[in-house]
Amino acid sequence: QVQPVESGGGLMQAGGSLRLSCTASGIIISISSVSWYRQAPGKQRELVASIPSSGTTYYEVFVEGRFTISRDNAKNTVYLQMNSLKPEDTGVYYCRVMKYVGGSYDSWGQGTQVTVSS
């Protein structure tokens, strides 16, 4: 069973930076599509950024220019570098790994809490 694991969350003041990591045993990150989502209290889960197997990155407008998604194939890990954090970035951040051809999976991690204080 594919089980992504997130790490790197925490408490940060507005304007600060955090780096989240997502890894998953049993799969090859470089041939997977990996997305970061977040869910704020009382709100629906929303997409933040994605990096498919092609490596082309995608960002939602509310994080573009502040967040960077990247992949380290040697470490089988995807990162989300979050700079210029705002209080509205507060939430639980989830990693989702997907592959639909040649052995499919679509799995979510347990999430990591990010809290940004003003």
Side-chain angles (χ1 to χ4, degrees):
Q1 183 178 355
V2 177
Q3 180 60 61
V5 177
E6 305 95 337
S7 62
L11 174 64
M12 180 57 64
Q13 287 188 331
S17 298
L18 284 172
R19 189 179 76 162
L20 307 183
S21 300
C22 172
T23 190
S25 59
I27 65 166
I28 302 174
I29 284 284
S30 62
I31 61 172
S32 306
S33 179
V34 180
S35 296
W36 285 98
Y37 289 73
R38 71 186 186 189
Q39 187 166 19
K43 294 187 177 181
Q44 288 189 329
R45 192 173 298 187
E46 60 184 1
L47 177 66
V48 174
S50 295
I51 183 166
S53 56
S54 65
T56 303
T57 55
Y58 170 82
Y59 301 93
E60 288 292 332
V61 62
F62 50 78
V63 301
E64 200 160 15
R66 299 189 298 124
F67 291 10
T68 302
I69 189 170
S70 62
R71 186 173 63 207
D72 186 331
N73 295 338
K75 295 184 178 180
N76 207 42
T77 300
V78 167
Y79 301 100
L80 184 68
Q81 178 68 43
M82 306 186 295
N83 299 329
S84 302
L85 283 164
K86 303 176 181 180
E88 51 263 45
D89 294 320
T90 294
V92 180
Y93 283 69
Y94 298 90
C95 176
R96 179 185 184 190
V97 294
M98 298 160 283
K99 185 172 174 289
Y100 297 113
V101 179
S104 62
Y105 45 81
D106 186 346
S107 299
W108 294 81
Q110 294 298 309
T112 185
Q113 177 70 46
V114 171
T115 303
V116 183
S117 63
S118 57

